[in-house]
Amino acid sequence: MVTLAVRGADQVWVRFAGRRAGQLLVSLWVLVTASFAMIHVLPGDPVRAALGPTAPLDLIEQRRAALGLDDPLWQQYLHYLAHLLTGDLGVSMTSGLPVRDVIGDRIGSTAGMAVLAFAVAVAVSVPLGTLMAVVARDGRRRGGDWFVTSASVVVATIPEFLLAVGLVFVFGVQLHWAPVAGRAGPGSYVLPVLSLAIGPALMLARIVRVEMLTVLGSDYIRTARAKRVRGTALYLRHALPNALTAALTMGGLMLGALVAGTVLVENIFAWPGLGGTIVQSILAKDYPTVEGVVLVYGAGVLLVNLAVDVALAVLDPRSTIRAA
């Protein structure tokens, strides 16, 4: 019986992994198709944009033929898909470099900023949310709890780019505490990371607060109090681990949003990452680079969501796998 139960569990996990892998592939295909369609319907000639307004007409026609831009759009699409299946992202129309190399040079800057912002958001939100819950539960500082909760709601709704502009003005231009552009040393990370991390940190703190209040009102916490478990041991050992499940779920989903948010923040801080690259490529109508960067961004977000799903399935197999 035990052997049959183990085999049944294995089959459930195999079906779960198969569904998630299928959803990931379909999502990637939709992403690739949408990015190809959107960049090709934009007005303007990418070859003219790459060679400049004074380029001779015969040179432009030769370049268009060499890039296959004279072919019907469906042929260009199939050609693009065929190259993707071999791992070929094409060649940049503006720099002449392989798109894979362009992305490889800049993806580290973007990933480093997003991961650091996520770490800051988690490091701030967990103790802040726990403190807010403790204060709210005691009921002795309702004014303070109301102020912190209201302030977090207001600040969390400010868009990242507007928050970035405000941080640049206050801490860069007025106080000169941190550099406002480029990537040169640890100090250059401060303002871009804060721009990305403040909103998610406050949102996560509110989630931790709500979950912690629920846990603190549960029976096993009352039992622990009856056994004279107090203070730090009660909150950190018994309450916090059970309150973090929902926060970690939302945190994983927010990591995907953080990656997408780097596009605006990188352009404000002149950060040498993929966000600046995609904006410059769109302006130059550099089809292969735009398609490649969009694919990397989309694949990153989808993989983060997949990792969250797998983590939830491990933590709570009954609900997650059945829901899948």
Side-chain angles (χ1 to χ4, degrees):
M1 293 296 292
V2 174
T3 303
L4 291 177
V6 172
R7 288 179 179 175
D10 291 342
Q11 291 176 356
V12 170
W13 275 102
V14 169
R15 287 197 296 271
F16 172 76
R19 290 193 194 98
R20 283 292 182 261
Q23 291 172 356
L24 177 65
L25 291 176
V26 171
S27 300
L28 284 175
W29 173 74
V30 172
L31 176 68
V32 166
T33 304
S35 66
F36 179 88
M38 285 189 289
I39 190 63
H40 279 78
V41 298
L42 289 177
D45 186 350
V47 177
R48 171 69 73 181
L51 297 180
T54 59
L57 184 59
D58 56 344
L59 178 60
I60 292 176
E61 291 177 350
Q62 291 175 9
R63 184 64 175 162
R64 287 182 58 83
L67 294 173
L69 296 178
D70 291 335
D71 297 335
L73 196 59
W74 66 269
Q75 286 187 4
Q76 296 182 45
Y77 175 65
L78 294 180
H79 190 256
Y80 172 58
L81 288 183
H83 280 76
L84 272 186
L85 292 177
T86 64
D88 182 9
L89 298 178
V91 177
S92 170
M93 291 181 176
T94 55
S95 66
L97 297 173
V99 174
R100 186 168 50 190
D101 293 345
V102 174
I103 293 174
D105 288 340
R106 294 174 175 261
I107 192 172
S109 299
T110 299
M113 181 196 295
V115 171
L116 190 56
F118 179 72
V120 170
V122 173
V124 170
S125 63
V126 173
L128 179 60
T130 303
L131 179 62
M132 291 164 64
V134 172
V135 171
R137 185 178 182 279
D138 291 341
R140 291 175 297 184
R141 300 181 180 87
R142 292 182 179 177
D145 176 59
W146 177 86
F147 175 77
V148 173
T149 304
S150 302
S152 66
V153 171
V154 173
V155 176
T157 56
I158 299 176
E160 289 139 346
F161 71 92
L162 197 57
L163 191 60
V165 172
L167 291 175
V168 166
F169 177 75
V170 175
F171 297 104
V173 177
Q174 297 296 325
L175 300 176
H176 302 286
W177 286 1
V180 298
R183 178 178 175 234
S188 61
Y189 280 85
V190 175
L191 296 184
V193 167
L194 287 179
S195 302
L196 285 172
I198 288 177
L202 296 177
M203 291 180 66
L204 278 177
R206 298 207 310 276
I207 295 172
V208 172
R209 174 185 177 275
V210 173
E211 292 297 318
M212 181 64 86
L213 284 173
T214 302
V215 171
L216 291 176
S218 60
D219 293 337
Y220 79 93
I221 291 294
R222 283 193 286 269
T223 302
R225 290 181 183 277
K227 293 181 178 178
R228 299 185 181 279
V229 179
R230 303 283 181 184
T232 306
L234 178 69
Y235 293 118
L236 297 184
R237 186 184 304 170
H238 297 281
L240 189 58
N242 293 290
L244 287 182
T245 303
L248 291 177
T249 303
M250 291 302 299
L253 297 176
M254 284 182 181
L255 181 56
L258 279 176
V259 173
T262 57
V263 175
L264 291 174
V265 173
E266 284 186 5
N267 281 278
I268 292 174
F269 291 98
W271 193 262
L274 292 178
T277 301
I278 192 171
V279 172
Q280 295 167 8
S281 302
I282 290 174
L283 295 176
K285 306 185 190 312
D286 189 346
Y287 291 171
T289 304
V290 173
E291 292 161 350
V293 175
V294 170
L295 177 61
V296 170
Y297 265 106
V301 174
L302 291 173
L303 288 175
V304 168
N305 291 334
L306 177 63
V308 171
D309 288 343
V310 173
L312 288 175
V314 173
L315 293 173
D316 190 0
R318 291 173 299 177
S319 61
T320 306
I321 292 179
R322 285 175 183 172

